Amino acid sequence: MNQISRREADDPRSQTLRLPADMPLALDAGVALAPLTIAYQTYGALNADRSNAVLVCHALTGDQHVANENPVTGKPGWWTTMVGPGLPIDTDRFFVICSNVVGGCMGTTGPASINPATGRAWGLDLPLVTIRDMVRAQAMLVDALGIETLFCVVGGSMGGMQVLQWAASYPGRVFSALPIASGARHTSQNIAFHEVGRQAVMADPDWDGGRYAERGLQPTKGLAVARMAAHVTYMSDTALQGRFGRNLQDRAAPTFSFDADFQVESYLRHQGTSFVERFDANSYLYVTRAMDYFDLAADYGGSLARAFAGSRTRFCVTSFTSDWLFPTSESRAVVHALNAGGASVSFVEIATDKGHDSFLLDVPDFLATTRGFVDAAARARGLPERGAR
Amino acid sequence: MSDATAGGAPRADHLLVADMVSPGARVLDVGCGDGALLRLLAERRDVDGRGIELSQKGVNDCVAKGLSVIQGDADADLADYPADAFDYVILSQTIQATRNPRVVLETMLRVGRRAIVSFPNFGHWRVRAALALGGRMPVTQSLPVAWYETPNIHFCTIRDFVALADEVGATVERAHALGPGGARLGAAHLGFWNLFGAQAAFLLRRGR
């Protein structure tokens, strides 16, 4: 984390909901987290019926800056293909909310935030959080905004896990749900990759048992390696091969050294070094752990269908053919459970070679089906047609 | 929202199927294509409709129209639905393209209380004539694709289908045959239908 992002973790340039000590977040770990801060962004306007609110759930290393310039990186928001005026999630029609997850590092309470009891960063003193805890915190925010029923809850990857958790935990508060490139559990392979990343962080001497911030250090090397390994899982073999092949980086021949001879090495190193500028290492441990613990069926006696039994939410499940991190089979398991539970469900597998990250990219078929689903759900909700304002 | 007839008049076989569905029913359309039948059923029969479609374009079209459709096929994905999930499971012009029509039909009758199956009749006289006199695999209005390109791998005649329904222990509640122009054939005689029906639609009930 650089200076700017460290400040964001505790004093974010976002709207914030600061819940007092007597309104704690009851964590799955069995303890209460208080006081709780939730940093969030909103776009568009809430209508008089309060019926046009869309909650966007961000992925592992995402944040609340969906459609505005990111205050740390200076780059555009992370979902500018999907959220904005005239886009599938149309900010001219909907009131869009996105909050930083609990355990994150962009202003919502996480290991990089200051623990008021000690005046120091929480670090590993923060209890472990789960996807359900993240969703509970979001529900507290939605309550505070005076919204009973969300028109839509949408997210990709870890965001999709939150969408499914929302639909299971608060079925009456979710009119439509869009889990994308996601699943109802983290697979063994998913956990394995996360463990590689965490071990890389913890093997960095500068991690120092999680107390690096007190000593003004950063486990940048470990976190960069974690990001490099993870980044490979977000892309498909075809996409990597197509983009880099075996091309060399600014040189005519291999150097017979361990320098970044190949373009793909140079690219990954860049991904690693830019990531550590904006993300907190402990936060990476917490949020990856939350994903690992996610197993929605386990919370319902091993039956995923029971998690959605009697649900009146309209679902649209999307997967991508080249996503090997959350393959189509994981989405299908969700679809089968929804069908078994009698829910209204659409399921689209989008053909693309862009891998897991497809949900963040300009994939026209994906954006078109999402637009169609959202528009139909809006009609069913009695919201005005696109462009009718 | 535009009417289901926006792209032209509803297809004759779709109207036939719609006639067999009681209002307000829960319906699963297997192989729902671009969703034309589902929309017709929603508008004229007020059904709670779901679809399964193999092609991504078909699914995209359906979802874009606001229909609840999942990507999949009759052979692989029908089995995952619980018993009695629907009042009707419809297989419109698709049974001849399934890998295992018998299993598909049995599954339809488990998942739905009733099954509606429409299919091109391979016993139609033009088909018979093309084969008997021309010595070539028929290409007709109902079967417009050459043998080497057709997705249809399990053709049957109307009599064949009646026999299969009997084998899986289903009762035929209603049946209709359509001539090549889409007109309903009056005389409910199987032999007549089998010769002059270009396509047929059957409403089956589980058990005898």
Side-chain angles (χ1 to χ4, degrees):
Chain A
M1 287 181 109
N2 62 22
Q3 290 289 335
I4 302 168
S5 66
R6 200 168 309 152
R7 207 192 70 194
E8 283 302 310
D10 205 60
D11 184 19
R13 276 165 284 175
S14 280
Q15 300 178 71
T16 49
L17 174 68
R18 295 181 193 276
L19 291 158
D22 62 349
M23 286 183 72
L25 175 65
L27 299 176
D28 279 342
V31 292
L33 179 60
L36 177 71
T37 299
I38 300 171
Y40 65 100
Q41 292 289 113
T42 67
Y43 311 87
L46 188 62
N47 64 9
D49 296 345
R50 299 174 178 264
S51 62
N52 69 336
V54 175
L55 179 70
V56 174
C57 302
H58 71 71
L60 171 62
T61 64
D63 52 41
Q64 66 273 35
H65 301 286
V66 180
N68 57 273
E69 182 181 284
N70 190 292
V72 173
T73 64
K75 290 181 179 167
W78 56 267
W79 221 5
T80 48
T81 51
M82 182 65 83
V83 180
L87 293 177
I89 297 170
D90 188 346
T91 50
D92 286 341
R93 303 171 74 196
F94 307 125
F95 177 60
V96 179
I97 309 158
C98 184
S99 61
N100 187 213
V101 296
V102 172
C105 54
M106 285 294 279
T108 296
T109 303
S113 323
I114 302 299
N115 178 356
T118 63
R120 293 178 293 141
W122 277 93
L124 298 196
D125 291 339
L126 188 79
L128 281 201
V129 297
T130 64
I131 298 292
R132 189 157 61 176
D133 294 331
M134 295 174 181
V135 166
R136 282 195 191 104
Q138 288 160 356
M140 292 165 89
L141 171 64
V142 171
D143 286 342
L145 293 171
I147 296 160
E148 175 54 35
T149 303
L150 291 161
F151 160 62
C152 184
V153 184
V154 54
S157 194
M158 186 182 86
M161 291 176 163
Q162 295 161 62
V163 173
L164 294 172
Q165 186 69 62
W166 259 99
S169 292
Y170 308 102
R173 301 188 69 177
V174 182
F175 186 79
S176 64
L178 275 151
I180 301 157
S182 190
R185 58 171 189 173
H186 226 206
T187 65
S188 189
Q189 191 188 44
N190 296 147
I191 296 168
F193 276 113
H194 274 177
E195 176 62 0
V196 169
R198 284 190 296 264
Q199 288 300 327
V201 169
M202 294 190 278
D204 187 327
D206 287 346
W207 180 63
D208 193 23
R211 290 183 300 270
Y212 51 87
E214 294 165 33
R215 299 175 46 205
L217 296 171
Q218 294 285 332
T220 50
K221 289 195 172 66
L223 184 60
V225 170
R227 178 61 169 180
M228 289 168 75
H231 196 82
V232 176
T233 70
Y234 304 151
M235 297 178 75
S236 72
D237 181 28
T238 317
L240 273 180
Q241 192 63 31
R243 186 158 167 190
F244 306 109
R246 293 184 50 80
N247 298 340
L248 299 178
Q249 178 71 27
D250 303 329
R251 63 202 69 188
T255 58
F256 290 90
S257 75
F258 295 110
D259 202 14
D261 277 353
F262 293 100
Q263 280 181 7
V264 67
E265 295 175 305
S266 173
Y267 170 76
L268 280 181
R269 289 183 187 190
H270 172 73
Q271 292 296 327
T273 51
S274 56
F275 180 63
V276 301
E277 290 289 303
R278 70 175 179 90
F279 213 84
D280 175 52
N282 282 336
S283 196
Y284 194 77
L285 303 183
Y286 275 83
V287 182
T288 55
R289 202 60 177 151
M291 289 180 78
D292 291 351
Y293 279 175
F294 188 62
D295 181 3
L296 193 52
D299 296 339
Y300 293 85
S303 162
L304 191 54
R306 209 174 295 160
F308 304 119
S311 174
R312 299 183 58 78
T313 302
R314 303 160 69 104
F315 290 86
C316 184
V317 179
T318 306
S319 70
F320 300 97
T321 50
S322 55
D323 182 354
W324 54 277
L325 195 60
F326 286 89
T328 290
S329 53
E330 293 299 308
S331 283
R332 263 191 203 287
V334 171
V335 172
H336 291 162
L338 288 166
N339 278 330
S344 168
V345 53
S346 292
F347 166 55
V348 196
E349 183 189 26
I350 301 292
T352 170
D353 65 3
K354 292 187 167 127
H356 181 61
D357 269 351
S358 292
F359 75 97
L360 298 169
L361 303 172
D362 183 17
V363 177
D365 279 342
F366 163 55
L367 296 169
T369 50
T370 303
R371 177 185 290 265
F373 174 80
V374 170
D375 284 353
R379 276 194 295 272
R381 182 80 172 131
L383 296 173
E385 293 288 317
R386 197 174 282 278
R389 287 162 57 95
Chain B
M1 195 190 288
S2 60
D3 189 67
T5 58
R11 277 165 43 181
D13 59 315
H14 285 176
L15 290 170
L16 205 59
V17 169
D19 271 358
M20 294 176 169
V21 173
S22 55
R26 281 176 60 83
V27 173
L28 176 66
D29 184 5
V30 183
C32 61
D34 64 1
L37 177 59
L38 277 174
R39 295 191 81 188
L40 184 74
L41 290 170
E43 282 165 20
R44 302 209 176 175
R45 284 283 181 270
D46 192 29
V47 303
D48 179 7
R50 310 285 159 81
I52 301 181
E53 169 57 30
L54 188 56
S55 79
Q56 187 181 331
K57 184 176 184 323
V59 176
N60 292 0
D61 289 350
C62 289
V63 174
K65 289 173 190 161
L67 300 166
S68 291
V69 171
I70 70 166
Q71 193 152 29
D73 72 47
D75 288 293
D77 298 288
L78 197 51
D80 295 307
Y81 288 87
D84 293 335
F86 297 94
D87 299 313
Y88 299 90
V89 178
I90 298 170
L91 194 61
S92 171
Q93 308 288 337
T94 301
I95 193 165
Q96 75 282 355
T98 63
R99 282 190 296 281
N100 201 332
R102 181 185 172 137
V103 172
V104 167
L105 188 59
E106 286 171 337
T107 310
M108 288 172 73
L109 287 161
R110 177 182 65 78
V111 172
R113 287 171 231 284
R114 286 180 169 78
I116 297 174
V117 183
S118 71
F119 57 92
N121 174 29
F122 210 66
H124 187 259
W125 69 268
R126 278 186 192 279
V127 173
R128 298 192 203 194
L131 207 49
L133 305 175
R136 300 286 304 273
M137 282 297 279
V139 177
T140 68
Q141 207 174 356
S142 317
L143 304 168
V145 183
W147 67 274
Y148 47 83
E149 284 173 335
T150 181
N152 301 325
I153 53 176
H154 285 120
F155 282 123
C156 69
T157 69
I158 291 176
R159 278 191 190 280
D160 286 330
F161 185 79
V162 171
L164 177 63
D166 187 56
E167 262 186 63
V168 302
T171 303
V172 176
E173 285 198 330
R174 283 172 72 180
H176 291 290
L178 294 179
R184 295 187 192 190
L185 298 185
H189 182 270
L190 266 190
F192 180 77
W193 279 9
N194 206 24
L195 198 53
F196 294 105
Q199 45 179 308
F202 280 77
L203 172 64
L204 306 180
R205 189 188 70 223
R206 190 190 308 161
R208 296 193 201 277

